[in-house]
Amino acid sequence: MPNIIFLPHEEICPEGASVEAEAGASICDVALANGIEIEHACEKSCACTTCHVYVREGMDSLEDPTEDEEDLLDKAWGLEPDSRLSCQARVADKDLVVEIPKYTLNQVSEHH
């Protein structure tokens, strides 16, 4: 079973975490199931960018983003070549290293 290493994020995951992930699960679902509260304002329907993450290692194991995901990513804060929406990126057979950005474009957050 592949692992996802979440790099430390000062508010969401201060210590970082390494968790097992089932192939086919989204990065967002794996995070939420392990107490890592990634924002997901659109309830994981690929309609916002609040669950934006950087896949620092293992990107080549993920399916390519859809056109809808790419269009949304263009609006994400801090877009980088390894950016993905965690609700759309599904774990395959390789370990991943994921970084949660410091900011999102979410205007209303329950955590602020």
Side-chain angles (χ1 to χ4, degrees):
M1 193 176 287
N3 285 319
I4 300 178
I5 296 169
F6 289 94
L7 298 176
H9 180 283
E10 76 180 53
E11 292 178 17
I12 297 172
C13 187
E15 303 297 315
S18 179
V19 299
E20 285 191 344
E22 233 180 89
S26 73
I27 292 172
C28 187
D29 285 338
V30 172
L32 294 171
N34 286 279
I36 302 167
E37 295 296 321
I38 290 180
E39 291 188 54
H40 53 287
C42 72
E43 295 300 319
K44 304 178 276 184
S45 65
C46 195
C48 73
T49 64
T50 59
C51 71
H52 169 231
V53 296
Y54 305 116
V55 180
R56 298 301 189 197
E57 293 180 25
M59 179 74 107
D60 59 333
S61 71
L62 302 175
E63 289 186 14
D64 291 337
T66 64
E67 190 173 318
D68 287 343
E69 181 182 355
E70 287 180 337
D71 288 346
L72 282 169
L73 280 170
D74 286 341
K75 300 172 186 172
W77 181 91
L79 183 66
E80 294 185 8
D82 56 0
S83 289
R84 288 297 302 265
L85 297 182
S86 67
C87 71
Q88 299 301 301
R90 302 210 172 269
V91 177
D93 57 349
K94 290 186 182 176
D95 292 349
L96 301 173
V97 175
V98 173
E99 181 179 356
I100 302 167
K102 187 172 181 177
Y103 302 106
T104 72
L105 293 180
N106 194 3
Q107 297 297 321
V108 180
S109 171
E110 296 175 15
H111 300 289
H112 300 281

